[in-house]
Amino acid sequence: KASPLPPNPTFADLTSPTWLQSRNKRSRPATLLQTLKTAAVALPTIALLGPVAFLSQSLLSRSRPKPTLPPQAPSELTSLPLPTSRPYDIALVGVTGFTGKLVLEYYLKTYPSLKIVVAGRDLKRVKSAVDAVKEICNSEKDIDMVQASASSWSSNFSVSRSSKVVVTTAGPFAKIGNKLIEACAHSGTHYADITGETGWVRNNVKRL
């Protein structure tokens, strides 16, 4: 039992060994209870973060697999001399998509004198997209359309060799964009796309 203090304790009363010893004995159960409460909160967190930290370190330490290089263009196409003239300023691929339509609209409004060719797999869908954009822009500009497949080397080389710049909005680029960018590299054609696939970009920088 704690020693009682006088009604108006002095400094000597508060610092007396007898009262301090009895006070420390009283505070121990409360201190132990607080310790147990803290442990009850902290232990589940430690138990959860431990495996997470181990798994994260394990994944980071693994070597990343090297990207598979796409097939190389056939030699009969890569050995062709660079074209001396190109009928189009820009070849646009992917006009049937939302972003492709926006790109075409921008060209028609901002640079109406550009010679543009639009390439796509389904000419019916391509024409429908082009007509819709021309209506928005109130444009009567003649825009040529050609059928081209992302899986065809000859199609990609034909598109890239016919224009000064190829602009494509058709993705995913790691899946269907390899042949077009390689055809542009071999044809001396400027290339632009909207990809955010940084691994694919890095791979092509090293490859081409």
Side-chain angles (χ1 to χ4, degrees):
K1 185 176 180 180
S3 300
L5 287 173
N8 297 309
T10 63
F11 178 78
D13 295 327
L14 294 174
T15 57
S16 65
T18 304
W19 186 81
L20 288 176
Q21 184 177 9
S22 64
R23 181 178 179 279
N24 289 338
K25 287 181 180 179
R26 283 189 303 163
S27 63
R28 283 174 190 169
T31 303
L32 178 60
L33 179 61
Q34 185 64 35
T35 302
L36 291 176
K37 288 181 179 179
T38 303
V41 173
L43 285 178
T45 305
I46 296 172
L48 176 63
L49 292 180
V52 170
F54 174 78
L55 180 60
S56 300
Q57 185 62 32
S58 176
L59 292 175
L60 289 173
S61 63
R62 291 183 183 179
S63 58
R64 295 182 179 179
K66 295 182 179 179
T68 303
L69 293 178
Q72 303 296 309
S75 57
E76 61 266 23
L77 292 174
T78 59
S79 59
L80 291 172
L82 294 181
T84 56
S85 63
R86 303 179 189 242
Y88 302 107
D89 295 313
I90 291 178
L92 177 59
V93 180
V95 74
T96 56
F98 175 76
T99 308
K101 292 186 181 71
L102 291 179
V103 172
L104 181 59
E105 180 181 345
Y106 174 79
Y107 287 148
L108 292 181
K109 288 181 176 179
T110 312
Y111 303 103
S113 62
L114 282 177
K115 297 177 181 178
I116 301 173
V117 61
V118 177
R121 182 179 53 195
D122 187 339
L123 281 181
K124 185 177 180 180
R125 291 182 60 205
V126 169
K127 185 179 184 305
S128 176
V130 170
D131 290 343
V133 175
K134 288 173 64 176
E135 184 177 354
I136 292 173
C137 301
N138 194 23
S139 172
E140 299 295 332
K141 181 181 179 65
D142 290 330
I143 298 177
D144 291 342
M145 290 166 272
V146 295
Q147 189 170 25
S149 172
S151 61
S152 168
W153 280 115
S154 60
S155 290
N156 286 291
F157 268 83
S158 177
V159 170
S160 63
R161 290 175 64 84
S162 68
S163 60
K164 299 174 184 177
V165 181
V166 166
V167 177
T168 175
T169 61
F173 292 88
K175 183 178 181 180
I176 65 174
N178 291 311
K179 292 184 178 180
L180 179 57
I181 192 173
E182 186 169 343
C184 289
H186 287 295
S187 303
T189 306
H190 297 290
Y191 171 90
D193 62 35
I194 59 167
T195 187
E197 301 164 46
T198 54
W200 179 75
V201 173
R202 181 175 59 249
N203 182 32
N204 279 295
V205 168
K206 293 179 180 179
R207 184 173 67 91
L208 303 174

